[in-house]
């Protein structure tokens, strides 16, 4: 199978979230399974300055954007540690910027134009380089136009007749919604601007466009694939997804264990595995407490949160729990992340008032995230929704049981600890259902109670450490989905395109 992945970001070239982890790891894992894969993404400033041995291909792209033509160039490198080609679309006015999608206050005003350009450039790259592609795997709203262009403009072009498309939704809350006059930028006929195809409450919606025109749709966990077919988690697109339920599926993201494995993690002191997890975690906890300027208290569990400080992640629930616990418990807390200013202020105030119990780092630090996973006793993820989540899988590998709300990928990966599940060897964390600080607090209290039971706790953490959430498992499921999608397209068995 020949697969081209088109994405707005990918590790190690540029990253803002889990999308980049997927698009950096999946192509190389598929290649190891014998598939021919390639990646294409914009040539952001981070790419150009990243020292990736970029090769200029001497290809000039002329891309129609509304009534004008915008030029672009193609660069090439490889995904690290592999022979997988990585192509980059260079257009300095669009992509040579400080950030990928906007500054800290707002999105770039020309984001629609930027990703119209990129979407068309992907298809023109296939044509100019004569790439053999069986399936185009596109990701999120930034590439939502590609399935539409493939169906409307390229289906009759030699070499494109049987290319299938798969759209992966990483977070349906982000849809690429723009005012209706941006339809002009796409170059597509206004007849497609209707409620069944590209229009969404009077606006242009690029994610909806992709959902309507893609040959298959998937998202990053089976549970989330079900959740988004109904309100409120469908974010207004549940009707489209209900209509396309027959080609909608969910595949959990994987973990790159070459990067997230306490046995080989260069950020830890010392490294450790299942065989010496007690001593290894104790040493890393002591080092982490010293780094955070928290006192060493052997009777106090260290409870961690790493992620965006936004309501989706349930940080408001966690803040309320910390406010209660600092007065009633010896537990210590560490929070790493950035986000909503009001939550940052509340956390800073807690850290200032309770420096013996609360450490807050308002930053993005991958090395510190690794040390927190290794040094913490519990990892909390009280998300209101979570398409997949990776941190809970990292935590399992590091022997740090997660406390999670039952939603999306969290529900698909974490089995609540009870006497029965512990005895059966299936327990790996703690879960709660209600979106409330009371429910979160009760789940943490249960976890702390188990933490005090040394042998039971050891059985719990070693069980989680032995689980396999690697990309090998996920890539095999993607390969099967690719095969099925290409077969349907070639058999002409899909429902008429562009019907939602």
């Amino acid at each position: 199978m020949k697969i081209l992945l088109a994405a707005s970001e990918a590790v190690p070239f540029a990253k803002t979230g889990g999308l980049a982890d997927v698009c950096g790891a999946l192509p190389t894992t598929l290649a190891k399974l014998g598939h021919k894969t390639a990646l294409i993404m914009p040539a952001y400033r981070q790419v150009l300055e990243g020292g990736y041995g970029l090769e200029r291909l001497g290809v000039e792209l002329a891309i129609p954007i509304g009534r004008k033509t915008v030029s672009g160039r193609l660069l090439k490198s490889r995904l690290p540690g592999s022979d997988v080609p990585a192509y980059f679309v260079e257009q300095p006015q669009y992509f040579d910027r400080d950030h990928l999608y906007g500054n800290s206050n707002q999105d770039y005003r020309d984001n629609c134009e930027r990703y119209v350009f990129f979407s068309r450039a992907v298809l023109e790259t296939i044509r100019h380089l004569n790439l053999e592609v069986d399936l185009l795997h596109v990701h999120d709203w930034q590439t939502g136009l590609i399935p539409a262009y493939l169906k409307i403009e390229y289906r009759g072009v030699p070499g494109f007749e049987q290319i299938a498309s798969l759209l992966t939704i990483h977070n349906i809350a982000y849809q690429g919604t723009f005012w209706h006059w941006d339809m002009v930028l796409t170059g597509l006929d206004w007849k497609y601007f209707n409620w069944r195809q590209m229009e969404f409450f009077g606006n242009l919606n690029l994610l909806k466009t992709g959902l309507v025109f893609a040959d298959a749709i998937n998202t990053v966990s089976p549970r989330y694939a079900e959740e988004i077919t109904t309100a409120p988690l469908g974010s207004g697109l549940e009707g489209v997804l209900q209509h396309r339920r027959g080609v909608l599926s969910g595949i959990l993201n994987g973990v790159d264990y070459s990067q997230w494995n306490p046995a080989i993690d260069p950020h830890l002191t010392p490294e450790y595995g299942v065989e010496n997890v007690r001593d290894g975690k104790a040493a890393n906890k002591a080092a982490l407490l010293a780094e955070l300027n928290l006192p060493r208290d052997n009777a106090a569990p260290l409870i961690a949160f790493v992620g965006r400080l936004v309501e989706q992640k349930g940080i408001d629930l966690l803040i309320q729990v910390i406010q209660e616990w600092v007065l009633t418990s010896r537990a210590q807390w560490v929070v790493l992340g950035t986000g909503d200013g009001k939550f940052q202020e509340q956390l800073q105030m807690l850290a200032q008032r309770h420096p013996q119990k609360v450490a807050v780092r308002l930053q993005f630090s991958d090395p510190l995230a690794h040390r927190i996973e290794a040094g913490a006793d519990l990892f909390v993820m009280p998300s209101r929704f979570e398409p997949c989540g990776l941190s809970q899988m990292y935590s399992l590998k590091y022997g740090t049981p997660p406390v999670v709300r039952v939603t999306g990928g969290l529900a698909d990966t974490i089995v609540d600890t009870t006497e029965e599940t512990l005895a059966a060897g299936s327990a790996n964390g703690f879960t709660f259902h209600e979106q409330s600080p009371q429910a979160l607090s009760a789940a943490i209290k249960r976890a702390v109670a188990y933490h005090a039971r040394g042998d039971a706790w050891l059985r719990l953490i070693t069980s989680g450490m032995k689980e396999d959430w690697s990309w090998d498992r996920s890539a095999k499921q993607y390969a099967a989905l690719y095969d099925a999608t290409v077969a349907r397209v070639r058999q002409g068995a899909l429902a008429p395109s562009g019907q939602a």
Side-chain angles (χ1 to χ4, degrees), residues 242-265:
Q242 288 168 13
H243 184 84
R244 304 225 64 201
R245 187 187 290 269
V247 294
L248 171 64
S249 62
I251 297 175
L252 274 166
N253 287 338
V255 173
D256 183 351
Y257 285 137
S258 70
Q259 301 296 317
W260 290 93
N261 183 349
I264 57 172
D265 193 329

Side-chain angles (χ1 to χ4, degrees), residues 182-487:
D182 278 342
M183 183 69 185
V184 173
L185 299 173
T186 71
L188 295 174
D189 195 295
W190 275 97
K191 70 180 182 181
Y192 298 107
F193 189 78
N194 64 77
W195 69 274
R196 289 181 176 272
Q197 294 174 309
M198 300 178 70
E199 183 266 342
F200 185 73
F201 295 98
N203 292 312
L204 171 65
N205 186 310
L206 301 189
L207 181 61
K208 177 180 178 179
T209 300
L211 297 179
V212 169
F213 285 95
D215 294 314
I217 305 162
N218 88 298
T219 189
V220 290
S221 72
R223 176 71 171 251
Y224 192 59
E226 288 297 317
E227 290 175 340
I228 60 178
T229 61
T230 59
L233 292 186
S235 299
L237 295 177
E238 55 271 9
V240 180
L241 291 165
Q242 288 168 13
H243 184 84
R244 304 225 64 201
R245 187 187 290 269
V247 294
L248 171 64
S249 62
I251 297 175
L252 274 166
N253 287 338
V255 173
D256 183 351
Y257 285 137
S258 70
Q259 301 296 317
W260 290 93
N261 183 349
I264 57 172
D265 193 329
H267 304 298
L268 307 188
T269 51
E271 299 164 347
Y272 62 91
V274 173
E275 68 286 347
N276 64 336
V277 60
R278 267 184 169 156
D279 292 341
K281 283 194 68 68
N284 277 281
K285 181 176 180 179
L288 179 62
L289 289 172
E291 180 179 357
L292 298 173
N293 296 316
L294 290 174
R296 189 167 179 175
D297 183 349
N298 293 331
L302 178 60
I303 306 169
F305 173 96
V306 177
R308 290 183 292 118
L309 307 179
V310 294
E311 284 193 0
Q312 180 213 324
K313 300 296 184 180
I315 189 63
D316 55 321
L317 307 180
L318 182 61
I319 288 172
Q320 294 179 67
V321 170
I322 297 175
Q323 289 170 337
E324 172 197 347
W325 279 56
V326 291
L327 303 176
T328 61
S329 167
R330 295 174 69 172
Q332 296 172 307
W333 304 82
V334 54
V335 175
L336 170 66
T338 60
D340 192 310
K342 67 180 179 182
F343 297 137
Q344 294 188 164
E345 291 176 9
Q346 292 170 11
L347 288 164
Q348 283 180 310
M349 189 171 297
L350 277 167
Q352 291 166 4
R353 291 179 176 176
H354 306 279
Q356 306 294 300
K357 292 185 176 180
V358 182
V360 175
R361 298 293 183 268
L362 300 177
Q363 62 185 103
F364 174 83
S365 171
D366 190 59
L368 180 54
H370 283 246
R371 294 194 289 274
I372 289 173
E373 290 282 12
D377 296 301
L378 290 168
F379 194 96
V380 291
M381 297 180 69
S383 304
R384 285 181 165 80
F385 65 94
E386 194 66 59
C388 176
L390 290 172
S391 292
Q392 81 276 16
M393 293 187 262
Y394 301 155
S395 298
L396 293 175
K397 191 66 173 178
Y398 282 68
T400 309
V403 180
V404 307
R405 187 172 164 270
V406 178
T407 184
L410 303 180
D412 288 328
T413 51
I414 303 305
V415 176
D416 191 43
T417 300
T418 65
E419 294 304 305
E420 292 75 19
T421 59
L422 190 62
S426 59
N428 61 5
F430 301 86
T431 67
F432 67 99
H433 290 79
E434 183 183 337
Q435 294 181 30
S436 72
Q438 294 80 13
L440 172 58
S441 181
I444 297 174
K445 286 178 181 177
R446 285 197 299 115
V448 169
Y450 273 98
H451 179 257
R453 296 169 52 185
D455 290 341
W457 189 255
L458 183 60
R459 290 201 305 275
L460 174 63
I461 63 177
T462 55
S463 177
M465 292 178 75
K466 292 176 181 178
E467 293 178 355
D468 179 13
W469 298 104
S470 69
W471 269 108
D472 291 340
R473 169 190 51 81
S474 304
K476 290 174 183 176
Q477 295 177 354
Y478 269 108
L481 178 57
Y482 295 157
D483 284 338
T485 303
V486 169

Side-chain angles (χ1 to χ4, degrees), residues 27-85:
T28 56
T29 311
L30 287 165
K32 291 174 184 177
L33 295 175
H35 300 282
K36 185 176 180 180
T37 59
L39 168 74
I40 184 167
M41 61 178 285
Y44 300 112
R45 182 176 299 170
Q46 295 93 318
V47 175
L48 299 175
E49 297 178 352
Y52 297 113
L54 298 172
E55 170 193 356
R56 293 195 174 274
L57 297 183
V59 174
E60 294 281 340
L61 302 177
I63 306 298
I65 302 292
R67 295 184 177 87
K68 64 184 177 181
T69 299
V70 180
S71 63
R73 296 178 178 84
L74 290 179
L75 312 175
K76 182 181 179 181
S77 181
R78 295 191 181 275
L79 282 163
S82 78
D83 292 325
V84 175

